[in-house]
Amino acid sequence: MAAQNFEDLNVGKQARQLTQEIYRLTKTAKFLKDFGQRDQIRRAAISFMSNIAEVFERDGNLEFVQFLY
């Protein structure tokens, strides 16, 4: 059965786990002192996951595979 959304794929699950881990790590005291750095790292994690989801929604496996490479 084909994946219904990007989170059905391993890469989608890993992207979600990575984002959750980054949020966990950036709750530490070191990151709480530097809001700019913390927010930039969190936005990058969300952007990574969002980009995978965006390309997944496009038609064509070739473009999706090329993006992930």
Side-chain angles (χ1 to χ4, degrees):
M1 181 165 83
Q4 296 297 313
N5 62 55
F6 89 101
E7 289 180 330
D8 292 339
L9 304 172
N10 272 343
V11 69
K13 293 173 187 174
Q14 291 171 349
R16 169 78 59 195
Q17 290 171 347
L18 176 63
T19 300
Q20 290 172 343
E21 182 67 8
I22 287 172
Y23 267 75
R24 187 187 69 74
L25 291 171
T26 56
K27 288 181 182 178
T28 62
K30 181 178 179 180
F31 283 101
L32 291 177
K33 294 178 184 177
D34 189 344
F35 297 112
Q37 184 181 32
R38 181 198 67 198
D39 292 345
Q40 184 176 7
I41 290 170
R42 287 179 174 184
R43 284 192 312 269
I46 291 170
S47 177
F48 173 70
M49 189 168 56
S50 296
N51 287 340
I52 293 170
E54 179 183 338
V55 173
F56 178 80
E57 294 297 323
R58 295 182 186 174
D59 291 331
N61 287 336
L62 182 60
E63 184 179 14
F64 184 61
V65 170
Q66 184 178 13
F67 175 80
L68 293 177
Y69 182 73

